[in-house]
């Protein structure tokens, strides 16, 4: 395991009187979850109908057979009170190869009954996801997206040796979401030593950045304080893969007095020998992060000295804001709020 250590300068972060902030965290609020569990992390999303399809693996042709059957209760997109729906389908992370159904006119309950085959080896199916995008056709303007369905566990219902029929809710969306992949890492904090260890374990289904259909990914981690970058460390680079395994640890020395002010910016990069390295995707962890990034941080504090591991979806690079580019010292800790 490769270990990098950075000192959280005490000149950078002045000391303050110890607070009871860590003691106020109730461990019972953070139930332990399976590393690969994702259902508990998904927020409630608006749905707009249901989509039915079947899955089966063709061993002779080494392909995944997907049959789009029908959709029910789609929203009306036209002034006539109907829609002209069709469906696009990808087998992620590959987005160059896609299929599309025929357009069905003036209906909210289309019956498609169309079959498509994706060439893929059976032992690779566990690393792939199906992405369905439901659209409303418009002859004169751009087509309106109705919603999407993402199936990230293709073996959920069966081993695909025989046809399995699936019903899924269609999640409302106006633009196609781009799947950039996921990263698994653990966080562990030692309050007595003032030390936090982030272990980058692995990534899966990363976006292909090279013409070979692969990437050369490495992970860069910034220690942040109120938008300012304090320290940077990175992992080794893994060549020609979309599913790199690292198992590399990065150690940050963070006094308990400052743990509420800092956060982590975790960036998966594609190494390029000739041009500039490109960002594949990003995620954040810290008290001011959103969703799982905040929950993971709080869980780390609630269970000191214990590594807490989760998968995190990668998001798009937001662009280099001036506050992110600026470097410098972190201001004095803010006084704790009295109840």
């Amino acid at each position: 395991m490769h270990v990098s250590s950075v000192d959280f300068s005490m000149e950078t972060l002045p000391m303050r009187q110890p607070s009871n902030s860590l003691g106020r965290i109730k461990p019972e609020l953070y139930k332990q979850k399976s590393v690969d569990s994702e259902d508990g992390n998904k927020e409630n999303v608006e749905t707009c109908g249901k989509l039915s399809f079947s899955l089966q693996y063709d061993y002779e042709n080494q392909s995944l057979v997907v049959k789009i059957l029908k959709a029910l209760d789609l929203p009306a997109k036209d002034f006539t009170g109907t829609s002209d729906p069709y469906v696009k389908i990808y087998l992620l992370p590959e987005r160059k190869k896609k299929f599309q159904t025929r357009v069905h006119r003036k209906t909210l309950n289309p019956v498609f009954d169309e079959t498509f085959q994706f060439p893929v080896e059976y032992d690779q199916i566990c690393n792939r996801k199906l992405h369905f995008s439901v659209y409303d056709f418009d002859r004169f303007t751009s087509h309106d997206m109705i919603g999407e369905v993402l199936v990230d566990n293709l073996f959920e219902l069966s081993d695909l040796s025989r046809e399995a029929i699936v019903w899924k809710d269609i999640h409302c969306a106006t633009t196609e979401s781009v799947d950039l992949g996921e990263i698994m890492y653990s966080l562990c904090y030692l309050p007595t030593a003032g030390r936090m260890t982030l272990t980058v374990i692995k990534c899966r289904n990363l976006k292909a950045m090279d013409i070979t259909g692969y990437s050369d990914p490495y992970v860069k981690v910034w220690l942040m304080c109120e938008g300012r970058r304090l320290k940077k460390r990175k992992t080794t680079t893994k060549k020609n893969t979309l599913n790199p395994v690292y198992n590399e640890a990065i150690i940050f020395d963070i006094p308990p007095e400052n743990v509420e002010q800092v956060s982590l910016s975790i960036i998966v990069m594609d190494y390029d020998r000739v041009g500039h390295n490109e960002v594949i995707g990003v995620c954040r962890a810290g008290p001011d992060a959103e969703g799982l990034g905040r929950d993971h941080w709080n869980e780390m504090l609630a269970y000191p000295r214990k590594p807490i591991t989760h998968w995190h979806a990668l998001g798009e690079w937001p662009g280099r804001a001036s506050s992110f580019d600026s470097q410098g010292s972190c201001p004095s800790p803010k006084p704790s709020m009295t109840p």
Side-chain angles (χ1 to χ4, degrees):
M1 182 174 293
H2 308 277
V3 179
S4 302
S5 177
V6 295
D7 292 327
F8 199 98
S9 173
M10 298 309 296
E11 296 179 358
T12 299
L13 288 177
M15 296 288 288
R16 68 173 177 182
Q17 294 299 319
S19 67
N20 296 324
S21 57
L22 293 182
R24 290 198 302 268
I25 296 177
K26 299 180 180 180
E28 62 269 18
L29 298 180
Y30 301 97
K31 296 181 180 180
Q32 293 295 301
K33 302 174 184 177
S34 170
V35 168
D36 290 303
S37 174
E38 298 175 355
D39 292 338
N41 303 324
K42 292 183 179 178
E43 299 179 355
N44 292 330
V45 294
E46 185 180 358
T47 60
C48 49
K50 291 182 177 293
L51 182 69
S52 176
F53 54 91
S54 68
L55 304 175
Q56 186 174 8
Y57 189 74
D58 185 340
Y59 294 93
E60 182 177 353
N61 296 314
Q62 290 192 311
S63 62
L64 178 67
V65 181
V66 182
K67 185 175 183 180
I68 301 179
L69 300 173
K70 65 178 73 173
L72 292 178
D73 302 325
L74 297 180
K77 291 291 186 177
D78 302 334
F79 67 91
T80 59
T82 60
S83 293
D84 301 322
Y86 68 93
V87 180
K88 290 196 298 185
I89 177 175
Y90 299 90
L91 184 62
L92 301 176
E94 175 62 55
R95 297 189 70 89
K96 294 180 181 179
K97 185 178 182 62
K98 70 175 180 181
F99 293 107
Q100 181 175 312
T101 68
R102 295 186 297 272
V103 176
H104 289 251
R105 300 288 184 179
K106 301 186 184 307
T107 178
L108 302 180
N109 300 284
V111 177
F112 297 103
D113 278 335
E114 295 188 49
T115 302
F116 310 99
Q117 293 193 20
F118 290 95
V120 58
E121 295 182 6
Y122 185 79
D123 58 1
Q124 291 298 313
I125 293 179
C126 59
N127 298 320
R128 311 298 287 272
K129 300 179 182 181
L130 276 174
H131 185 205
F132 301 88
S133 300
V134 184
Y135 279 86
D136 171 55
F137 174 83
D138 195 308
R139 184 186 299 272
F140 303 105
T141 63
S142 59
H143 302 176
D144 295 323
M145 186 171 180
I146 296 175
E148 61 185 1
V149 173
L150 182 64
V151 184
D152 54 11
N153 186 356
L154 298 179
F155 290 116
E156 183 178 6
L157 296 179
S158 73
D159 60 0
L160 304 181
S161 59
R162 57 182 180 180
E163 186 178 38
I165 297 178
V166 184
W167 281 95
K168 288 286 186 180
D169 287 332
I170 301 172
H171 292 172
C172 296
T174 56
T175 58
E176 278 191 4
S177 60
V178 179
D179 185 55
L180 303 174
E182 297 171 285
I183 182 171
M184 177 194 284
Y185 61 83
S186 69
L187 296 175
C188 181
Y189 187 64
L190 305 178
T192 54
R195 178 175 300 168
M196 187 195 68
T197 301
L198 180 148
T199 303
V200 181
I201 301 173
K202 58 184 175 180
C203 299
R204 64 184 179 189
N205 301 329
L206 295 180
K207 180 183 178 182
M209 304 293 286
D210 302 333
I211 59 175
T212 60
Y214 293 98
S215 295
D216 299 323
Y218 66 93
V219 180
K220 182 167 62 175
V221 182
W222 279 103
L223 180 64
M224 308 286 294
C225 178
E226 296 186 358
R228 298 176 182 271
R229 302 181 299 179
L230 299 180
K231 296 291 181 180
K232 179 188 72 172
R233 288 295 182 268
K234 62 182 180 179
T235 68
T236 57
T237 300
K238 304 299 180 180
K239 298 289 187 178
N240 297 321
T241 179
L242 301 179
N243 300 282
V245 177
Y246 298 99
N247 289 322
E248 301 180 35
I250 297 173
I251 297 175
F252 295 96
D253 291 327
I254 308 174
E257 295 80 13
N258 304 118
V259 75
E260 292 182 349
Q261 293 178 263
V262 298
S263 61
L264 298 173
S265 182
I266 302 161
I267 310 168
V268 182
M269 305 284 298
D270 173 54
Y271 172 78
D272 196 315
R273 180 177 299 180
V274 180
H276 296 287
N277 297 345
E278 296 181 280
V279 175
I280 297 176
V282 301
C283 64
R284 295 184 66 243
D288 59 346
E290 296 181 355
L292 181 58
R294 180 185 62 250
D295 295 341
H296 195 169
W297 185 271
N298 290 337
E299 196 173 352
M300 170 193 72
L301 298 178
Y303 294 91
R305 296 174 294 279
K306 182 176 181 180
I308 305 297
T309 305
H310 284 292
W311 280 104
H312 291 258
L314 295 173
E316 293 185 325
W317 176 245
R320 288 186 174 274
S322 57
S323 61
F324 186 85
D325 277 339
S326 61
Q327 300 188 47
S329 62
C330 188
S332 301
K334 300 176 181 178
S336 58
M337 299 294 291
T338 56

